[in-house]
RNA sequence: GCCCCCAUCGUCUAGCGGCCCAGGAUGCCAGGUUCUCAGCCUGGAGACAGGGGUUCAAAUCCCCUUGGGGGUACCA
């Protein structure tokens, strides 16, 4: 591979950066970094109706969040109008393009498509042949003075010295038009690599109805950027061994277009969740804690009075248990509120049973005298209690869990009680035995 | 309609003529660890779309069919 590789990511700012675009950006970025080349960003805002400032900003933010830094740009096509006009008029002067007026009276410049066979040697598809007699003369400069996609793209890629065009394979059929333009200008044609598209979970084209499709949504749901990058990298590319979790430097080192495949891939949230969970497990608590704090705060939890050490313990306790920060918050919400929500099914199953009220009374009695309310002391007193009562610990655990957390599922009960603190713990036990447990009328048989 | 691309477990993939009665991951199922769940460990079910060729030999090469995707705009 030549040492002066230059690639670009050229999104149009008509919406947020979706995961298909992010994957295209990622492949370009990896290719550039692997080859010690240049990665540039170009905003293709030639559709005056649909392009927005917000979309541009969202795309830039997403790129930064993913860590896809660019070496040049962002360039904006809307700021290069004179150049396109000049190039278009040059073609007219040479007889390769012509002014054309449509039915509505709009005057545009149309490129004269020559008949013949065009071959492209795609880096991942091999040779693809087109009969250009099937392609009609197409507009290169619109009535509003803006260039069309195919035209601006060629002018820019040529002027900016792009050596490899890595883009979605939905652009394959644009390629013969672009090659015709390169030839008309006498520009050197770059290499093309058309990567497969990413489909929704049902195999159809990705759209809003597939749920989260933008990288900002994944960020907001509490995914780690590296996990998303890792997941995206493995959609259409594989390092060739059985390794699935790989660091950015490893990805850069191993990335080649030869190992990119041509089959479109369906996005799979379940696997992304697994991967994010792996990243969370592999991220030290010291790094996770600040992220947690930020995420919880954004979600409306008052973190100001939360001690740093306590937060560390919480993250530690849930380290292997949560897949995203949103998931983390859902699991731990009961720590942060005074009144908790009870899972009715759990209440019915574990609290509305004969003797449970008395059981919780015993638990309350065993636990309330503990001065140093830590895991060790709590466990000791509860183990003693089960011994005294002659029951297995599992007899106690679930009713306590429901009374304290509101749910039948949680992290270890001793650790949970310690982190929750004596006051909240005893308060909830008291509340549960008085209000939620079975009375003689509500006992289920 | 016409043109183009694609086709291995549900999903992501390894495989680039013999190493494959197809490997890994995820998900699923079962067992183990255990206060629940998650995690972790062990095991299991699960695919070369179909049909023709080529070859001593095909998941791998060729053709057809079928299926999916893309294009056919003064959208990108």
């Amino acid at each position: 591979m030549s040492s002066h590789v230059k690639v670009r990511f050229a999104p149009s700012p008509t919406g947020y950066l979706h995961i298909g675009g992010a994957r295209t950006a990622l492949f370009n970025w990896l290719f550039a970094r692997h080859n010690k080349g240049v990665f540039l960003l170009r905003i293709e805002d030639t559709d005056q109706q649909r392009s927005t400032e917000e979309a541009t900003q969202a795309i830039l933010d997403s790129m930064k969040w993913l860590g896809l830094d660019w070496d040049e740009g962002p360039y904006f096509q809307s700021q290069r109008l004179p150049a396109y006009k000049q190039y278009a008029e040059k073609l007219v002067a040479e007889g390769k393009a012509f002014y054309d007026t449509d039915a509505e009276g709009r005057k545009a410049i149309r490129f004269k498509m020559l008949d013949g066979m065009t071959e492209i040697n795609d880096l991942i598809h091999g040779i693809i042949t087109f009969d250009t007699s099937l392609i009609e003369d197409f507009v290169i400069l619109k009535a509003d003075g803006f260039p069309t996609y195919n035209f601006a793209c060629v002018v820019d890629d040529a002027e900016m010295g792009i050596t490899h065009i890595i883009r979605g394979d939905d652009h394959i059929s644009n390629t013969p038009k672009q090659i015709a333009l390169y030839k008309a200008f006498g520009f050197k044609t770059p290499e093309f690599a058309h990567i497969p598209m990413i489909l929704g979970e049902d195999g159809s084209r990705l759209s809003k109805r597939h749920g989260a499709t933008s990288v900002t949504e994944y960020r907001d749901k509490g995914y780690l950027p590296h996990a998303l990058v890792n997941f995206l990298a493995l959609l259409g590319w594989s390092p060739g061994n059985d390794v699935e979790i790989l660091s950015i430097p490893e990805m850069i080192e191993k990335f080649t277009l030869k190992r990119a495949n041509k089959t479109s891939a369906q996005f799979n949230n379940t696997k992304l969740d697994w991967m994010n969970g792996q990243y969370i497990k592999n991220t030290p608590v010291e790094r996770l804690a600040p992220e947690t704090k930020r995420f919880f705060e954004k979600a409306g939890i008052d973190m100001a009075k939360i001690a740093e050490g306590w937060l560390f313990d919480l993250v530690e306790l849930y380290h292997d248990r949560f897949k995203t920060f949103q998931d983390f918050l859902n699991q731990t919400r009961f720590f942060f509120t005074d009144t908790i929500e009870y899972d009715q099914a759990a209440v019915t199953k574990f609290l509305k049973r004969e003797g449970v009220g008395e059981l919780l009374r015993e638990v309350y009695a065993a636990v309330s005298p503990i001065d140093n309310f830590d895991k060790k002391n709590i466990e000791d007193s509860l183990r003693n209690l089960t011994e005294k009562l002659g029951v297995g610990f599992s007899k106690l655990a679930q009713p306590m869990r429901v009374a304290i957390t509101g749910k039948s599922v949680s992290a270890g009960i001793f650790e949970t009680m310690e982190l929750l603190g004596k006051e909240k713990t005893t308060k909830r036990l008291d509340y549960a035995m008085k209000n939620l447990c079975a009375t003689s009328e509500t006992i289920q048989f």
Side-chain angles (χ1 to χ4, degrees), chain A residues 259-326:
Chain A
R259 295 215 55 85
N261 59 218
K262 30 189 170 184
T263 326
S264 55
Q266 289 182 217
F267 196 82
N268 184 231
N269 277 292
T270 308
K271 187 159 183 180
L272 203 214
D273 282 350
W274 165 78
M275 188 165 279
N276 204 63
Q278 292 297 307
Y279 270 83
I280 284 171
K281 277 202 304 183
N282 295 330
T283 303
V285 173
E286 307 81 67
R287 291 237 304 277
L288 243 24
E291 288 290 318
T292 301
K293 187 175 178 183
R294 201 171 318 149
F295 189 89
F296 280 27
E297 246 160 16
K298 220 175 157 191
I301 305 284
D302 180 12
M303 299 298 284
K305 54 181 189 290
I306 303 292
E308 192 183 6
W310 185 89
L311 184 59
F312 266 53
D313 290 345
L314 185 76
V315 174
E316 186 78 62
L317 182 56
Y318 281 82
H319 204 171
D320 290 351
R321 314 178 69 92
F322 69 97
K323 294 188 190 296
T324 65
F325 285 109
Q326 182 61 57

Side-chain angles (χ1 to χ4, degrees), chain A residues 207-308:
Chain A
S207 68
K208 309 97 237 152
R209 70 188 163 74
H210 287 108
T213 56
S214 70
V215 342
T216 40
E217 281 174 279
Y218 283 97
R219 180 196 62 199
D220 295 345
K221 283 162 88 176
Y223 286 84
L224 261 19
H226 285 181
L228 223 208
V229 164
N230 194 154
F231 179 77
L232 253 20
L234 261 27
L235 245 35
W237 174 78
S238 81
N241 48 27
D242 288 336
V243 177
E244 300 253 322
I245 305 286
L246 49 173
S247 68
I248 304 288
E250 284 169 334
M251 287 170 43
I252 290 172
E253 194 222 310
K254 302 224 153 141
F255 190 84
T256 61
L257 255 15
K258 281 166 224 59
R259 295 215 55 85
N261 59 218
K262 30 189 170 184
T263 326
S264 55
Q266 289 182 217
F267 196 82
N268 184 231
N269 277 292
T270 308
K271 187 159 183 180
L272 203 214
D273 282 350
W274 165 78
M275 188 165 279
N276 204 63
Q278 292 297 307
Y279 270 83
I280 284 171
K281 277 202 304 183
N282 295 330
T283 303
V285 173
E286 307 81 67
R287 291 237 304 277
L288 243 24
E291 288 290 318
T292 301
K293 187 175 178 183
R294 201 171 318 149
F295 189 89
F296 280 27
E297 246 160 16
K298 220 175 157 191
I301 305 284
D302 180 12
M303 299 298 284
K305 54 181 189 290
I306 303 292
E308 192 183 6

Side-chain angles (χ1 to χ4, degrees), chain A residues 1-216:
Chain A
M1 201 63 55
S2 61
S3 55
H4 48 277
V5 158
K6 193 168 183 183
V7 294
R8 45 64 164 185
F9 176 53
S12 68
T14 54
Y16 46 62
L17 179 65
H18 62 88
I19 48 195
R23 205 274 310 258
T24 300
L26 174 62
F27 276 29
N28 273 284
W29 184 82
L30 287 172
F31 184 75
R33 293 294 171 260
H34 177 86
N35 292 294
K36 310 250 187 305
V38 174
F39 175 59
L40 77 80
L41 186 58
R42 185 174 70 223
I43 304 299
E44 310 215 321
D45 53 351
T46 54
D47 184 335
Q48 292 196 79
Q49 267 69 49
R50 299 195 303 145
S51 297
T52 68
E53 198 100 352
E54 299 76 60
T56 299
Q57 199 49 52
I59 290 168
L60 298 184
D61 287 347
S62 293
M63 295 281 291
K64 285 177 194 157
W65 183 70
L66 290 171
L68 306 182
D69 55 327
W70 54 93
D71 309 304
E72 269 185 40
Y75 296 110
F76 291 84
Q77 291 188 325
S78 59
Q79 292 171 4
R80 294 174 39 74
L81 264 30
Y84 306 124
K85 186 167 194 283
Q86 190 187 332
Y87 275 104
E89 280 169 351
K90 180 167 180 265
L91 290 181
V92 173
E94 292 170 357
K96 294 170 179 167
F98 57 95
Y99 282 92
D100 181 49
T101 307
D102 70 3
E104 282 114 272
R106 294 177 300 173
K107 195 175 182 191
I109 295 181
R110 215 171 260 282
F111 179 71
K112 211 178 282 180
M113 201 65 199
L114 267 26
D115 291 356
M117 300 305 285
T118 293
E119 235 179 36
I120 76 176
N121 190 186
D122 191 276
L123 257 25
I124 87 177
H125 288 273
I127 292 175
I128 305 172
T129 312
F130 291 91
D131 179 354
T132 57
S133 68
L134 265 20
I135 301 171
E136 58 183 30
D137 298 345
F138 58 96
V139 169
I140 55 177
L141 202 69
K142 300 184 261 186
D144 63 5
F146 277 63
T148 56
Y149 163 71
N150 283 124
F151 186 65
C153 181
V154 168
V155 169
D156 285 351
D157 285 336
E159 277 212 336
M160 295 174 187
I162 302 301
T163 59
H164 300 256
I165 294 179
I166 303 170
R167 74 218 319 187
D169 65 18
D170 49 331
H171 285 293
I172 288 180
S173 37
N174 284 323
T175 311
K177 291 180 187 172
Q178 296 178 191
I179 287 181
L181 251 13
Y182 278 102
K183 283 183 183 159
F185 284 123
F187 291 149
K188 182 179 185 301
T189 58
E191 299 285 345
F192 291 95
H194 288 96
I195 60 181
M197 302 185 70
I198 295 179
L199 275 20
E201 297 210 273
D202 59 356
S204 69
R205 187 171 197 162
L206 210 51
S207 68
K208 309 97 237 152
R209 70 188 163 74
H210 287 108
T213 56
S214 70
V215 342
T216 40

